[in-house]
Amino acid sequence: MMENKDITVLIIHGPNLHLLGKREPSIYGSFSLNDINSKLEEKASAKGFKLLICQSNSESEIVDKITNAEYDYLIINPAAYTHTSVAIRDAILGVNKPTLEVHISNIYKREEFRKKSMISDVVAGVITGLGVDSYILALEALPLQQ
Ligand code: DQA
């Protein structure tokens, strides 16, 4: 198995996640995207991983990142594209890298349209509804034992 110091994890935050802290705080909490990223950096350095972090509102930029960046694991919160994007699903299938899907809110406890994820059945695991901890626990789970 690879050593942790040789592992690069790509973190992708999808559309509107740059608004965290201001956006619907009763659903998404009062922490900002910078707060999440600092916690991720802290956890990554404790585990010895390298992190690449990106936030994008554009589906095509997210597809480009998934397919062009160099990384060993992907942790992705596709945000609204979770429910619509065949392109992001196909990119994940195309590169075939171990991927975890995360959501801040519990997508199964909200509107009907959020209950369908286009990627859940092509990723290794899903963590939903645990706020910032959804991301931290995803990083904690790496490297995957499978
Ligand atoms: C989200 C849930 C999505 O339904 C929503 O569109 C988001 C954020 C979450 O992290 O809870 O933007 O992915």
Side-chain angles (χ1 to χ4, degrees):
M1 200 210 276
M2 266 168 110
E3 287 187 60
N4 283 10
K5 70 173 177 46
D6 299 320
I7 292 177
T8 300
V9 183
L10 173 62
I11 311 272
I12 297 182
H13 305 287
N16 298 312
L17 294 174
H18 61 305
L19 297 176
L20 285 176
K22 296 180 262 199
R23 174 189 184 203
E24 301 181 88
S26 61
I27 295 173
Y28 297 114
S30 54
F31 47 83
S32 67
L33 190 60
N34 279 342
D35 295 335
I36 296 184
N37 289 340
S38 306
K39 281 184 193 284
L40 284 169
E41 291 288 4
E42 215 174 285
K43 174 59 103 184
S45 73
K47 294 201 65 156
F49 298 146
K50 275 190 248 69
L51 279 194
L52 299 174
I53 302 183
C54 107
Q55 188 279 324
S56 177
N57 297 323
S58 145
E59 188 177 25
S60 70
E61 259 176 42
I62 294 173
V63 168
D64 287 345
K65 262 290 178 223
I66 293 171
T67 56
N68 296 333
E70 293 203 1
Y71 59 94
D72 303 293
Y73 290 95
L74 171 63
I75 295 175
I76 182 165
N77 181 350
Y81 293 138
T82 305
H83 317 296
T84 62
S85 183
V86 176
I88 291 175
R89 176 192 176 87
D90 285 349
I92 291 170
L93 283 170
V95 298
N96 198 24
K97 298 259 168 87
T99 297
L100 294 176
E101 173 186 357
V102 301
H103 300 284
I104 296 164
S105 65
N106 180 350
I107 59 171
Y108 300 104
K109 207 178 163 186
R110 301 184 60 193
E111 301 96 324
E112 272 311 303
F113 70 87
R114 293 189 204 274
K115 292 184 180 156
K116 172 73 191 158
S117 164
M118 299 298 289
I119 68 166
S120 291
D121 63 322
V122 298
V123 296
V126 183
I127 304 177
T128 186
L130 302 180
V132 183
D133 287 343
S134 294
Y135 287 91
I136 302 302
L137 291 169
L139 205 48
E140 183 60 42
L142 302 184
L144 298 179
Q145 311 295 316
Q146 52 187 22

